[in-house]
Amino acid sequence: MKIEEFEKELLPLKEKLVNHNLYKSIKTNKDISVFMEGHVFAVWDFMSLVKKLQQLLTCTKVPWIPSKNPESGRLINDIVLGEETDFTKNGKVLSHFEMYVKAMKNVGANTNQIEEFINNLNYELNITDYIDKSNIPTFAKNFMNFTFKTIQSEKDHIIAAVFTFGREDLIPDMFIEIVKNISSNEEVDLKDLIYYLERHIEVDAEDHGPMALKMIKHLCGNDQIKWKEALDYSKIALNQRIKLWNAIEKTLN
């Protein structure tokens, strides 16, 4: 399967997301706060997709041994560099997740749920049980459970597909225009959020998006079974994002 055919298969679902009614529901600073309080869990679990790919495609253990897939390893290392240790607008280094939480605080969004969730995490926990027992919205639980089910597949081509087509290129340009419009009409500090969105769009369009597509090609190669699995999981990932958007829109309304 060619990557162009793959993307054509996903187009109807991507169009649903780009044209989702959620964006029209975001009209005030309070709406942005509610959106971010629900969306932040997707910002967080995205990092686990990234780090799992790094584990599978590079050597993160000691003693070190060479990667069996150095081209894909190089691509994911470049992506990790940007996602985990990017520059803020003030020149400091933070992960994109931390930038998002900082932007939440600046707009007055409640960060208690996500911070409590993160602070009580440890590596001995069963992540699925932890998510299910946590005090977070059901829609966030459902979304993250799919993410970790994907990670637990241990299949690099599936995880890369969900990372690439289910996550990386799904922030429409229209959303940043909504934020800018609200920023100009209300006395609220949205500068960090605007920077996060602009930075994310810039990095995804110029670097991470093309890198991720190359990674998919390397990992699936000429194996039609891998392409089929990657496509199936990508469709599920997009549907999971639609469900997340539906739930946040319902909360707003």
Side-chain angles (χ1 to χ4, degrees):
M1 177 180 288
K2 293 182 179 179
I3 200 74
E4 294 79 13
E5 297 171 1
F6 195 103
E7 291 184 295
K8 186 177 180 180
E9 283 270 342
L10 298 177
L11 188 59
L13 290 171
K14 291 181 73 172
E15 287 180 343
K16 277 189 178 181
L17 279 164
V18 170
N19 298 309
H20 199 285
N21 285 332
L22 170 64
Y23 309 113
K24 297 176 183 177
S25 300
I26 300 173
K27 300 174 182 177
T28 66
N29 177 55
K30 176 62 177 175
D31 294 336
I32 288 179
S33 295
V34 171
F35 170 81
M36 295 181 80
E37 288 163 14
H39 178 235
V40 66
F41 295 98
V43 178
W44 172 75
D45 76 347
F46 170 78
M47 290 304 303
S48 290
L49 283 171
V50 176
K51 296 302 286 186
K52 185 62 178 182
L53 282 171
Q54 189 179 40
Q55 289 177 5
L56 291 173
L57 300 175
T58 71
C59 182
T60 58
K61 299 178 181 179
V62 175
W64 177 87
I65 57 174
S67 168
K68 295 179 181 178
N69 200 329
E71 289 185 336
S72 292
R74 171 59 187 257
L75 292 170
I76 195 60
N77 276 338
D78 281 348
I79 290 170
V80 169
L81 178 65
E83 295 290 345
E84 195 170 35
T85 53
D86 201 2
F87 290 105
T88 68
K89 60 185 176 66
N90 298 320
K92 295 182 179 180
V93 176
L94 285 178
S95 67
H96 283 181
F97 168 75
E98 291 166 299
M99 287 185 194
Y100 196 85
V101 173
K102 184 173 182 288
M104 286 179 70
K105 291 178 178 178
N106 284 350
V107 305
N110 190 328
T111 60
N112 291 343
Q113 278 192 330
I114 185 62
E115 289 177 337
E116 180 182 351
F117 182 87
I118 297 293
N119 291 339
N120 291 329
L121 266 175
N122 66 64
Y123 293 111
E124 284 71 45
L125 291 169
N126 178 300
I127 185 61
T128 303
D129 288 345
Y130 178 72
I131 290 170
D132 288 340
K133 293 175 182 176
S134 64
N135 183 31
I136 63 175
T138 300
F139 63 77
K141 292 180 181 182
N142 294 338
F143 189 87
M144 291 194 293
N145 277 331
F146 168 72
T147 298
F148 285 97
K149 177 184 175 183
T150 301
I151 289 168
Q152 289 160 5
S153 74
E154 297 288 336
K155 294 185 176 182
D156 51 19
H157 61 286
I158 286 176
I159 299 168
V162 170
F163 163 81
T164 303
F165 299 105
R167 308 297 284 265
E168 270 295 85
D169 57 354
L170 292 180
I171 296 183
D173 291 340
M174 70 177 76
F175 183 62
I176 196 168
E177 294 305 318
I178 292 168
V179 174
K180 287 180 177 178
N181 182 58
I182 292 171
S183 179
S184 65
N185 292 331
E186 295 194 24
E187 293 182 4
V188 61
D189 185 3
L190 295 176
K191 293 187 183 68
D192 281 338
L193 176 57
I194 291 172
Y195 177 83
Y196 168 86
L197 292 168
E198 287 180 335
R199 182 68 178 150
H200 212 76
I201 291 169
E202 174 192 359
V203 169
D204 285 353
E206 295 180 7
D207 297 316
H208 293 182
M211 286 179 187
L213 290 176
K214 285 183 182 178
M215 185 164 54
I216 292 290
K217 292 176 185 177
H218 287 313
L219 295 176
C220 290
N222 295 318
D223 190 325
Q224 294 305 311
I225 294 176
K226 286 185 176 180
W227 278 109
K228 176 68 165 54
E229 289 180 333
L231 180 61
D232 289 345
Y233 267 79
S234 295
K235 287 180 178 179
I236 297 170
L238 289 168
N239 276 310
Q240 287 293 328
R241 177 64 69 125
I242 291 169
K243 290 178 181 178
L244 179 67
W245 267 202
N246 289 345
I248 295 175
E249 182 192 7
K250 186 176 181 180
T251 303
L252 282 169
N253 292 333

